[in-house]
Amino acid sequence: MAPLLRVGVCSATLLGTILLGASGWAAPPGEGKPEKPTTPEAAAREKLSEKGIRVSRAGLSLADEKELARELNEANTLKRKLVSAAREQQGAEGEIEDLQAALRLRLQDSVALNTQLTSVRNNPVAYNQIVAEINANNGA
């Protein structure tokens, strides 16, 4: 008899739920006051989400974490470009210093050859050799 009573109660409950639900007696979802969190965990989640922090099983994450990661990647790319540009600049500065040193040496050679030229004006062979060296120094 107990199983029959249980079936009758379940059937009556099911029928009442269907009739009350279909007749519109139940309040539609979303009407009335918003539900407040019932557990401390839900309250903490709500407060964190208001601050822009998302709670997941893996832990906490910022709402704008993807954008932050993208900006950090861009900053790393710019840093690599800066280091590369600094290396290129150092190489170019080294080349400029080498060229300036070579120019100073040529200028010193030119001054030394011109002083030798004044001392050998009477010897045409030596004079022509020094003139050839001056032309080679100026042309190279």
Side-chain angles (χ1 to χ4, degrees), residues 10-129:
C10 289
S11 299
T13 305
L14 182 60
L15 180 63
T17 305
I18 292 172
L19 290 177
L20 289 177
S23 65
W25 284 8
E31 282 190 6
K33 295 182 182 178
E35 292 183 25
K36 293 193 176 185
T38 57
T39 64
E41 181 181 334
R45 281 180 187 251
E46 183 179 325
K47 285 185 181 183
L48 287 172
S49 67
E50 288 174 2
K51 305 263 183 192
I53 299 174
R54 193 177 52 172
V55 179
S56 66
R57 289 183 182 168
L60 302 175
S61 64
L62 297 174
D64 298 330
E65 194 167 350
K66 289 181 182 177
E67 183 179 333
L68 177 65
R70 188 176 339 109
E71 295 294 327
L72 288 174
N73 284 337
E74 183 179 341
N76 284 336
T77 302
L78 292 174
K79 182 180 175 182
R80 278 187 239 114
K81 287 181 180 179
L82 176 65
V83 169
S84 174
R87 281 189 200 131
E88 288 179 22
Q89 181 182 6
Q90 283 181 337
E93 286 174 354
E95 289 178 17
I96 289 172
E97 288 174 3
D98 292 344
L99 290 173
Q100 287 176 341
L103 184 62
R104 278 192 294 276
L105 286 175
R106 283 185 161 190
L107 184 61
Q108 290 172 354
D109 289 345
S110 179
V111 169
L113 290 171
N114 282 326
T115 43
Q116 286 179 6
L117 189 63
T118 58
S119 65
V120 290
R121 286 205 186 262
N122 297 337
N123 186 351
V125 174
Y127 184 83
N128 287 338
Q129 286 177 345

